[in-house]
Amino acid sequence: MDNRGVIKASSFLILTIISVPANLLVCCAFLHSYLIEAKLLTADIILCHLAFANLMVAFTRSIPQTLAALGYVNFFDDIGCKISLLCFRGFRGLSVSLTCLLCVYQAVAISPATSKLAPLKMKIPQFLLYIILFLYLLYYSTSVSSILYAVSSLFNNTIPPYTMNLDYCFMLYKEYSSYMSVGFGVMARDLVFIVLMIVMSGYILRLLYQHSQKVKKIRSSDHSHKGRRAETKASGAVVTLVVLYVVFFGIDNIIWVYSITILRVAPLISDIRVFFATLYTSVCPIVVITTNPKVQRKLKLVKMKREVQTTGRNTCTM
């Protein structure tokens, strides 16, 4: 294996090792809360779906990419490639749209009663499942190009122009127009959610700044501020997720725009783009685990149970 192959395999292996258990942990924490408490907060439901989407991105892109980098190729036939790439594009799109939904909801949740967003405080929780279902339908219906163009192998192993080489599968566009239209269509679709995220994040930061100015004027240890501090912490976590996604999305699409200006893209450039396209799936659950009180409580509970079991075993052996 050459140096590029070693770096590629190591990079995607690290992403997989982080992404799969971290997203599983977030999903299990919220599902356990639902089983115990019989309810979940609106933000928790969105985060659970987001973790599931990130987990599926890891299964449909990070793991196959790791296997391909390690030398395991042709593990998909044409149908497998079509299903894998359709799922990847659908769940990657859900990742951005659910992050956007989380950002919008957080902005609505902390907005004052006089804000124009105030009516949405009741509307979003009421129609949340319908909104999420709509996002699933939107992204899978607009990702059908994967079914049309995905193949597992090429004729005579020759890579023609306008082909996306993923090592384990290929996106074979027969014309430059289809290559451009699909690419710009996907970018424009995601850009709508990116712009909305940026606007809502700016609104959240403005509200947080106004709140900090009020706190400076009125110093108090009143318990009424505890809820506000929790909202501030949650808002900061959401803004962090938005900033990370915007950065990764920007790098991904800058590389894509560059790639359409040349006939054949260097393998290293494609590797970097795919890496940043999946990096969010590993970073997102880490942010959630380190900032979400509910997930942290579940981790502490598991740790306490293990300590009790260890203590019991040691007592029995004495």
Side-chain angles (χ1 to χ4, degrees):
M1 188 182 296
D2 58 7
N3 291 335
R4 171 181 164 259
V6 172
I7 294 173
K8 181 178 179 180
S10 302
S11 300
F12 283 102
L13 183 60
I14 292 172
L15 288 185
T16 303
I17 291 173
I18 295 174
S19 179
V20 173
N23 283 297
L24 274 175
L25 175 62
V26 174
C27 287
C28 291
F30 288 125
L31 290 174
H32 183 263
S33 295
Y34 178 75
L35 292 174
I36 298 299
E37 303 168 11
K39 67 175 181 178
L40 281 177
L41 299 175
T42 301
D44 294 341
I45 295 173
I46 299 173
L47 283 171
C48 189
H49 280 274
L50 177 59
F52 176 70
N54 288 334
L55 180 64
M56 295 309 297
V57 170
F59 279 126
T60 57
R61 176 54 64 89
S62 298
I63 293 177
Q65 206 75 56
T66 302
L67 292 174
L70 291 173
Y72 298 97
V73 293
N74 300 324
F75 46 84
F76 283 139
D77 57 10
D78 283 353
I79 295 178
C81 281
K82 293 178 189 299
I83 294 175
S84 173
L85 294 178
L86 174 65
C87 290
F88 165 71
R89 289 194 168 184
F91 281 111
R92 183 172 178 263
L94 282 166
S95 184
V96 60
S97 60
L98 289 170
T99 303
C100 179
L101 178 60
L102 180 66
C103 183
V104 171
Y105 175 73
Q106 192 62 40
V108 169
I110 67 173
S111 63
T114 56
S115 170
K116 293 181 179 179
L117 296 176
L120 294 176
K121 289 186 180 183
M122 295 298 294
K123 294 293 184 182
I124 292 179
Q126 183 180 357
F127 296 101
L128 180 61
L129 295 181
Y130 295 102
I131 295 171
I132 294 176
L133 178 60
F134 168 76
L135 294 176
Y136 270 84
L137 293 175
L138 171 66
Y139 271 94
Y140 272 93
S141 63
T142 55
S143 300
V144 292
S145 61
S146 302
I147 298 176
L148 300 175
Y149 301 111
V151 295
S152 60
S153 59
L154 299 172
F155 183 71
N156 289 334
N157 292 324
T158 302
I159 302 178
Y162 321 126
T163 299
M164 290 180 60
N165 181 7
L166 301 174
D167 291 335
Y168 62 93
C169 287
F170 302 88
M171 291 292 290
L172 182 59
Y173 299 95
K174 299 188 184 216
E175 299 175 351
Y176 182 67
S177 58
S178 59
Y179 178 69
M180 290 286 289
S181 61
V182 171
F184 275 111
V186 170
M187 186 172 69
R189 179 196 62 188
D190 292 344
L191 195 58
V192 172
F193 291 101
I194 293 291
V195 171
L196 183 57
M197 276 196 288
I198 293 173
V199 172
M200 290 294 104
S201 295
Y203 179 69
I204 290 173
L205 291 174
R206 184 169 72 86
L207 291 178
L208 294 179
Y209 174 76
Q210 291 174 349
H211 174 66
S212 66
Q213 294 301 106
K214 290 179 182 178
V215 170
K216 287 180 182 179
K217 294 178 182 178
I218 307 173
R219 294 287 181 180
S220 173
S221 60
D222 193 344
H223 293 290
S224 62
H225 289 285
K226 288 185 178 180
R228 194 68 183 180
R229 285 196 293 269
E231 288 181 347
T232 300
K233 186 176 180 180
S235 300
V238 171
V239 171
T240 300
L241 290 177
V242 170
V243 171
L244 289 170
Y245 200 97
V246 170
V247 171
F248 299 154
F249 176 84
I251 294 174
D252 177 13
N253 284 276
I254 287 172
I255 295 175
W256 182 81
V257 171
Y258 164 75
S259 68
I260 66 175
T261 63
I262 57 178
L263 190 61
R264 296 184 187 277
V265 183
L268 179 61
I269 299 297
S270 296
D271 293 344
I272 294 173
R273 184 193 171 198
V274 173
F275 178 81
F276 277 99
T278 54
L279 182 57
Y280 183 74
T281 63
S282 297
V283 177
C284 176
I286 294 175
V287 174
V288 175
I289 291 170
T290 55
T291 59
N292 189 277
K294 188 168 290 186
V295 176
Q296 291 176 348
R297 284 197 299 269
K298 296 300 178 185
L299 285 175
K300 288 180 181 179
L301 182 62
V302 171
K303 184 178 179 181
M304 290 175 59
K305 286 183 178 180
R306 287 182 177 177
E307 289 177 351
V308 170
Q309 289 176 352
T310 302
T311 304
R313 289 173 184 172
N314 292 338
T315 304
C316 291
T317 55
M318 289 178 63

